Amino acid sequence: MASAPLLDVSTVLDLPAPLPLDSGQSLPGVRISYEAYGRLNAARDNAIFICHALTGDQHVVTDHPRTGKPGWWVRMVGPGKPIDTDRYYVICANVIGSCMGSTGPASLAMDGCPWAMRFPVITIRDMVRGHVALLDALGIEQLHAVVGGSMGGMQALSLAANFPERTRAALVIASTARHSAQNIAFHEVGRQAIMADPEWREGEYYAYGKGPEKGLSVARMAAHITYLSEAGLTDKFGRRLQNRAEKTFGFDADFQIESYLRHQGISFTDRFDANSYLYITRAMDYFDLAEEHGGLLANAFARSKARWCLVSFDTDWLYPTAESRLIAHALNAAGLPVSFVELSAPYGHDSFLLDVPALDKVVGGFLG
Amino acid sequence: MASAPLLDVSTVLDLPAPLPLDSGQSLPGVRISYEAYGRLNAARDNAIFICHALTGDQHVVTDHPRTGKPGWWVRMVGPGKPIDTDRYYVICANVIGSCMGSTGPASLAMDGCPWAMRFPVITIRDMVRGHVALLDALGIEQLHAVVGGSMGGMQALSLAANFPERTRAALVIASTARHSAQNIAFHEVGRQAIMADPEWREGEYYAYGKGPEKGLSVARMAAHITYLSEAGLTDKFGRRLQNRAEKTFGFDADFQIESYLRHQGISFTDRFDANSYLYITRAMDYFDLAEEHGGLLANAFARSKARWCLVSFDTDWLYPTAESRLIAHALNAAGLPVSFVELSAPYGHDSFLLDVPALDKVVGGFLG
């Protein structure tokens, strides 16, 4: 069978009305930037919506326009792949608050100046409201499935719980139904690192040609450690030195892990907006699906009729298996069909992005 | 029995000769600031040397001169306590490189200006060389025991391994024989946070009346997370809000954990020198006791005749039990008597400083 051509790559939608937000405010002039692959069938019922993670974007299978690197889930999405674009119409939208084309703090507000810190604080549910507005515009009443890892999993949970008529299935990978104190703590370190940088200028750095790059870099370094397992770091770097035979007795990056982390931090600042990092981490910290539903997680799923699949990784200490288990218990309490699997992979939280063949099987098998 | 009076509290020793360092340099004009409690007996063989942790100091049982808070191990050290000052002469010295009276980057160099980043990069073994010089000056040939938690444990390991004739016992708590890639990574985040702060001024901030307080605060926040367990954070803070009924949809410290971390960061800058933080974290990252002894940890203990005791905590993810187990295996391979216990405590790495009655029993029992 010939592969279906890619359709609708890099499209934008300008929402016709302001987007209502959990804060009580509404966001005017919202643009949603998204990509879509495969063909929407005549019944308009073969769509899969992929939700991206904190620093991810809509470039699931296309090269990133700033870094030139391949799409972040090219191994999972495509013709004949677990999320099969020969069979499904696959959509991914940049979340509001981000910086890859959808409206965020770097976008121009109605007065023609960047929103900066005037941008309203948004929530995961607000991001999902943007996704649902996109589905409305595309004439898709119900998804075949919503899929996401990490913060994408939060959106998948939120969409399937809060807009239960909009999806027949939800696949939540390496995620959680609420941010823990430790999760919040790491994000707060990142935010403080950004806001401590005098180049941040209370968020009004856009006119200066440079932003709080050092602070954002430190934020990324701290976060990056949480994405990897201790054992994975030991395997990959251990105490090996970086291009030198001996320690230098100085503060250069003697160890490979230092050089790697510095590179992760610096390269991140080329592709991501510091204010977006503040807003999106805040949305994640605010996420508590049970709290939205009277404090009982099972209540969140009361109106769901979806099939559910939860995947965790044994080395993920950011959103460990216990978090997925809590969700599985709540889905069971709500009487919903749920499959839950903990996969073994050495990469920590980032396993959902990496070469874990068992994940491919679970994803392909669940989506059918 | 009446308690012995405290002796020698807050004493300094000026070393008569430059201290040789692992870097090949030597450090002139070294002052060691220390406290000592109890009485040295006539045989001079009842001394216990306590080694402090990264941000600790010699104020084991006396109030901290800057914060006014009680000494950091007042629960463990004193008359009738597990480290019994009625029986033992208990010494703790501020490590070189630190900022509480021993020579460090904030001290004046020979030219009358602060060392700042001209201070040589030191190692754990160099700190121990300072301790041994102090023992020499005090006329103590052999300790009853060397004791330390965290970085203090590294010094205890290093002293008992590298100066085996100087102690009859070593008690190593919540520590490791080498810094892992993850350990180095967290320290590197902290260093980069400090060095990213323009107030750091390449370390030459002493004349300006203020230093890189924001950067040091971020460094402390990141490190502090690693000292606590995820479960401990959840118990202590969870997602509880700070003095408010609702989330504010802003970037204030809505959550208690945010407020707590910010306080930890800011208050740390009142009592610690940023350059000392750079140097001491570097010393810890450089620590690899096996590497000093041909790459085999058992070799490090070849000349030891000491009794050993290792203690780990089940919730310590900074230096987890597996690290202590490696040390125990090496001690076994070296044919040395070692007792090794993993204690259960909810506080993570910081358990060694907190109310863990089982630790008191182990410490008291081992020291005899």
Side-chain angles (χ1 to χ4, degrees):
Chain A
M1 190 174 85
S3 294
L6 296 183
L7 296 175
D8 299 341
V9 164
S10 292
T11 309
V12 296
L13 169 72
D14 291 309
L15 296 192
L19 194 69
L21 301 175
D22 276 338
S23 64
Q25 295 184 260
S26 67
L27 187 62
V30 174
R31 169 167 286 191
I32 308 279
S33 193
Y34 68 100
E35 296 204 344
Y37 325 108
R39 283 182 201 280
L40 188 61
N41 64 14
R44 310 185 87 76
D45 66 357
N46 71 327
I48 292 177
F49 198 97
I50 294 175
C51 304
H52 70 71
L54 166 54
T55 70
D57 50 52
Q58 69 274 35
H59 301 288
V60 176
V61 301
T62 56
D63 290 353
H64 193 282
R66 294 186 196 159
T67 66
K69 288 186 180 169
W72 59 270
W73 230 10
V74 71
R75 61 182 304 285
M76 189 65 80
V77 179
K81 293 189 180 176
I83 300 178
D84 188 349
T85 52
D86 284 340
R87 301 176 57 204
Y88 296 111
Y89 181 66
V90 178
I91 311 160
C92 181
N94 191 217
V95 297
I96 59 167
S98 186
C99 51
M100 289 300 292
S102 293
T103 299
S107 305
L108 301 185
M110 297 297 114
D111 63 0
C113 298
W115 277 102
M117 300 305 284
R118 302 178 300 161
F119 195 76
V121 166
I122 56 166
T123 66
I124 297 291
R125 183 159 56 181
D126 293 333
M127 295 174 185
V128 168
R129 288 191 175 102
H131 299 335
V132 170
L134 173 59
L135 294 179
D136 288 344
L138 295 173
I140 296 169
E141 285 188 18
Q142 191 174 61
L143 294 165
H144 177 69
V146 61
V147 178
S150 195
M151 186 183 83
M154 297 179 195
Q155 295 160 62
L157 281 164
S158 179
L159 189 148
N162 293 314
F163 301 89
E165 70 285 1
R166 301 309 289 254
T167 191
R168 295 190 296 279
L171 172 51
V172 177
I173 307 168
S175 192
T176 180
R178 54 126 176 73
H179 242 211
S180 72
Q182 191 185 66
N183 296 151
I184 296 170
F186 276 114
H187 274 175
E188 175 66 2
V189 168
R191 285 190 295 263
Q192 291 296 317
I194 290 167
M195 297 200 273
D197 188 333
E199 301 289 347
W200 179 59
R201 302 170 190 272
E202 305 293 322
E204 300 284 348
Y205 52 80
Y206 297 109
Y208 292 84
K210 66 174 298 211
E213 284 148 26
K214 289 183 176 176
L216 180 60
S217 180
V218 169
R220 176 63 168 178
M221 288 171 68
H224 198 79
I225 301 171
T226 70
Y227 303 153
L228 308 174
S229 71
E230 194 276 336
L233 280 169
T234 296
D235 285 350
K236 192 167 177 179
F237 303 107
R239 295 181 48 82
R240 283 187 291 282
L241 301 176
Q242 177 72 16
N243 301 331
R244 60 200 70 188
E246 300 284 346
K247 289 177 284 208
T248 62
F249 290 92
F251 290 92
D252 284 346
D254 271 358
F255 296 103
Q256 288 179 8
I257 178 63
E258 295 176 299
S259 174
Y260 170 80
L261 268 190
R262 290 185 191 183
H263 173 76
Q264 290 293 327
I266 291 165
S267 63
F268 182 59
T269 66
D270 291 335
R271 70 174 179 89
F272 214 81
D273 176 59
N275 285 340
S276 281
Y277 196 82
L278 298 178
Y279 277 89
I280 299 179
T281 57
R282 199 57 168 158
M284 294 172 77
D285 291 348
Y286 271 15
F287 186 59
D288 184 346
L289 186 59
E291 186 189 73
E292 296 173 7
H293 296 269
L296 191 66
L297 190 56
N299 285 352
F301 306 124
R303 294 187 297 133
S304 171
K305 294 188 177 71
R307 296 186 302 125
W308 289 78
C309 180
L310 307 170
V311 182
S312 69
F313 296 97
D314 58 351
T315 56
D316 182 354
W317 60 277
L318 187 66
Y319 305 135
T321 291
E323 300 296 331
S324 289
R325 191 176 292 121
L326 284 178
I327 303 170
H329 288 175
L331 288 164
N332 283 328
L336 289 165
V338 53
S339 81
F340 166 37
V341 60
E342 179 190 64
L343 298 179
S344 191
Y347 314 114
H349 180 64
D350 266 357
S351 296
F352 79 98
L353 296 168
L354 299 173
D355 182 24
V356 182
L359 178 63
D360 304 354
K361 291 204 183 75
V362 171
V363 171
F366 179 71
L367 296 176
Chain B
M1 190 174 85
S3 293
L6 295 183
L7 296 177
D8 297 344
V9 163
S10 292
T11 308
V12 297
L13 168 72
D14 291 310
L15 296 192
L19 194 70
L21 302 174
D22 276 339
S23 65
Q25 294 184 261
S26 68
L27 187 62
V30 174
R31 168 166 286 191
I32 307 279
S33 193
Y34 68 99
E35 296 204 345
Y37 324 109
R39 283 183 200 279
L40 188 60
N41 63 14
R44 309 185 90 77
D45 66 358
N46 71 327
I48 292 177
F49 198 96
I50 295 176
C51 304
H52 70 71
L54 165 54
T55 70
D57 50 53
Q58 69 274 36
H59 301 288
V60 175
V61 300
T62 55
D63 291 352
H64 193 284
R66 294 187 196 160
T67 67
K69 290 186 180 169
W72 59 270
W73 230 9
V74 71
R75 62 182 304 285
M76 189 65 79
V77 179
K81 293 189 180 178
I83 299 177
D84 189 349
T85 52
D86 283 340
R87 301 177 57 204
Y88 296 110
Y89 181 66
V90 179
I91 310 160
C92 182
N94 190 217
V95 298
I96 58 165
S98 187
C99 51
M100 289 301 291
S102 292
T103 300
S107 305
L108 302 184
M110 296 297 113
D111 62 0
C113 297
W115 278 101
M117 300 306 284
R118 301 178 300 160
F119 196 76
V121 166
I122 55 167
T123 65
I124 297 292
R125 183 160 53 183
D126 293 333
M127 295 175 186
V128 169
R129 288 190 175 104
H131 300 334
V132 170
L134 173 59
L135 294 179
D136 288 343
L138 295 173
I140 297 169
E141 285 189 18
Q142 191 174 59
L143 294 165
H144 177 69
V146 61
V147 178
S150 195
M151 186 183 83
M154 298 178 194
Q155 294 160 63
L157 281 164
S158 179
L159 189 148
N162 293 314
F163 302 88
E165 71 285 1
R166 301 309 289 253
T167 191
R168 293 190 297 279
L171 172 52
V172 177
I173 307 169
S175 193
T176 180
R178 55 125 176 73
H179 242 209
S180 72
Q182 191 185 67
N183 296 151
I184 297 169
F186 276 113
H187 275 175
E188 175 66 4
V189 167
R191 286 190 294 264
Q192 291 296 317
I194 291 167
M195 297 200 275
D197 188 332
E199 301 289 347
W200 180 58
R201 301 172 190 271
E202 307 292 324
E204 299 284 349
Y205 52 80
Y206 298 108
Y208 291 86
K210 65 176 295 211
E213 284 149 25
K214 289 182 176 177
L216 180 59
S217 180
V218 168
R220 176 64 168 178
M221 289 171 68
H224 199 79
I225 301 172
T226 70
Y227 303 152
L228 308 174
S229 72
E230 194 276 336
L233 281 169
T234 295
D235 286 349
K236 192 167 179 180
F237 304 108
R239 295 180 49 80
R240 283 187 291 281
L241 300 177
Q242 176 72 15
N243 300 333
R244 60 200 70 187
E246 301 282 346
K247 288 177 285 207
T248 61
F249 290 92
F251 290 92
D252 284 345
D254 273 357
F255 296 103
Q256 288 179 7
I257 177 63
E258 294 176 300
S259 175
Y260 170 79
L261 268 190
R262 289 185 192 184
H263 173 75
Q264 290 294 326
I266 290 164
S267 62
F268 183 59
T269 66
D270 291 335
R271 72 173 178 90
F272 214 81
D273 176 58
N275 285 342
S276 280
Y277 197 83
L278 299 178
Y279 277 89
I280 298 178
T281 57
R282 199 55 167 160
M284 294 172 77
D285 291 349
Y286 272 15
F287 185 59
D288 183 347
L289 186 59
E291 186 189 75
E292 296 173 7
H293 296 269
L296 192 65
L297 189 56
N299 285 352
F301 306 124
R303 295 187 296 133
S304 171
K305 294 188 177 71
R307 295 184 303 123
W308 289 77
C309 180
L310 307 171
V311 182
S312 69
F313 296 97
D314 58 352
T315 56
D316 182 354
W317 60 275
L318 188 67
Y319 305 134
T321 290
E323 300 297 331
S324 289
R325 191 175 292 122
L326 283 177
I327 302 169
H329 288 176
L331 287 164
N332 283 329
L336 289 165
V338 54
S339 83
F340 165 37
V341 59
E342 179 190 64
L343 298 179
S344 192
Y347 314 114
H349 180 64
D350 266 356
S351 296
F352 80 97
L353 296 168
L354 300 173
D355 182 23
V356 181
L359 178 62
D360 304 353
K361 291 205 183 73
V362 171
V363 171
F366 178 72
L367 296 177

